Amino acid sequence: MIENLVSIIMPSYNTEKYIFESIESVIAQTYKNWELLIIDDCSEDLTIQIIQKYLKVYPNIFLIQLEKNSGAAVSRNKGIEKANGEYIAFLDSDDLWEENKLEIQINFMKENNCAFSFTEYMEIDEMGNDLGILIKVPVKAITYRSYLLTNPIGCLTAVYSVKKLGKVYMPLIRKRQDAALWLRILNTGKKAYPIKENLAKYRIRKSSISSNKINLIKYQWALYRKIEKLSLIESIFYLSSTIIVKLFKLKEKRMK
């Protein structure tokens, strides 16, 4: 583990339209002590060629190519396995960071001696247009139970400390593997600390799994029942709470 180094885990699969912007948002960071691990899941478009152009210029950008298409959980876990940093951060190959994201977040974690943090973020459309929707963070730090109620952590904003937690991996499930990872961390008694600043942009794509709300509910249910082993009553309660919060509390129109 290299002290103060941030290892950024970026899974990629057929994102030739967007990965350039995602990589550039990492390069633009005011916090310069980072490595970018791009794990490609057998892309069939020009994603690899785009990545290779960066490999020739930036010695802290690395490409890991999976031998067979395996999904986001396997990709992210491979990145975590190869990471050298004191901190693990996540950014998908179609999402973006504000240039001061890492600087603000790492300074916050050091000043508050916390192992796990997350920030607010905005939603953008496929073309990068601002949808005017801010995903807010709660006021208080998140515990295991409060996370089950609200699911407030965006994967593109999360950072955890390897020094304090060790390397924590995602379960090999189709979707919501990031939520399962947060629950693994929180179930140790640690808390996730919110940073009330908008530091990232999450791209809503029509073709993505996360754009299908019905499927998301199914995956959330599977997370509660199969991964967290919650009872039927608990699962109904937490799923209902999550839906209500997502609809009415964590999203708001940004004031123009």
Side-chain angles (χ1 to χ4, degrees), residues 16-250:
E16 63 178 4
K17 294 181 180 179
Y18 313 108
I19 194 168
F20 165 80
E21 290 183 88
S22 300
I23 295 173
E24 288 292 332
S25 78
V26 172
I27 294 171
Q29 290 299 299
T30 55
Y31 186 94
K32 297 301 182 183
N33 194 7
W34 53 263
E35 63 175 1
L36 175 60
L37 304 167
I38 306 174
I39 309 90
D40 188 75
D41 198 14
C42 300
S43 290
E44 299 172 335
D45 61 2
L46 297 177
T47 298
I48 293 296
Q49 289 90 321
I50 294 170
I51 297 169
Q52 287 173 336
K53 292 180 180 179
Y54 286 96
L55 301 182
K56 297 175 182 178
V57 180
Y58 296 94
N60 54 341
I61 296 180
F62 305 93
L63 171 62
I64 302 167
Q65 293 180 263
L66 300 184
E67 294 182 358
K68 64 178 181 178
N69 184 264
S70 304
V74 171
S75 297
R76 288 174 176 145
N77 282 348
K78 178 60 70 172
I80 294 171
E81 177 190 332
K82 298 295 184 181
N84 297 300
E86 179 180 353
Y87 300 95
I88 300 286
F90 300 91
L91 180 65
D92 283 355
S93 56
D94 55 355
D95 295 332
L96 306 170
W97 282 348
E98 299 294 346
E99 64 179 15
N100 57 349
K101 195 261 190 190
L102 287 181
E103 182 177 6
I104 289 174
Q105 198 160 6
I106 299 305
N107 286 341
F108 173 90
M109 294 178 73
K110 289 181 177 181
E111 290 169 4
N112 293 277
N113 193 31
C114 67
F116 184 21
S117 71
F118 63 105
T119 80
E120 297 181 341
Y121 62 96
M122 294 297 298
E123 292 185 351
I124 59 175
D125 66 16
E126 289 183 288
M127 301 302 294
N129 299 311
D130 188 346
L131 294 175
I133 298 175
L134 173 67
I135 308 301
K136 301 179 69 176
V137 297
V139 175
K140 297 181 180 180
I142 295 295
T143 64
Y144 178 83
R145 289 293 170 182
S146 63
Y147 181 85
L148 288 171
L149 283 168
T150 61
N151 288 256
I153 302 173
C155 188
L156 73 165
T157 77
V159 175
Y160 76 80
S161 168
V162 175
K163 189 174 185 178
K164 295 181 182 299
L165 298 172
K167 288 187 175 182
V168 188
Y169 293 86
M170 296 186 174
L172 301 180
I173 54 178
R174 167 70 172 157
K175 191 65 178 173
R176 303 302 288 155
Q177 65 271 166
D178 53 339
L181 172 57
W182 316 148
L183 288 168
R184 278 185 175 178
I185 294 173
L186 297 172
N187 207 20
T188 66
K190 297 292 185 182
K191 295 180 180 180
Y193 289 85
I195 300 173
K196 196 171 179 55
E197 291 196 50
N198 169 29
L199 297 177
K201 296 178 181 179
Y202 177 73
R203 194 182 304 269
I204 303 295
R205 294 165 57 192
K206 293 179 181 178
S207 60
S208 68
I209 296 175
S210 57
S211 67
N212 189 321
K213 304 306 181 185
I214 300 300
N215 278 343
L216 270 182
I217 291 173
K218 293 178 181 178
Y219 289 123
Q220 193 73 23
W221 179 260
L223 171 65
Y224 292 149
R225 295 289 283 159
K226 296 180 180 180
I227 303 299
E228 297 307 307
K229 308 297 184 184
L230 300 181
S231 69
L232 179 63
I233 298 300
E234 285 179 311
S235 298
I236 293 172
F237 172 73
Y238 286 122
L239 183 61
S240 300
S241 173
T242 296
I243 292 172
I244 291 170
V245 168
K246 290 296 183 184
L247 288 176
F248 300 109
K249 293 184 179 180
L250 291 182

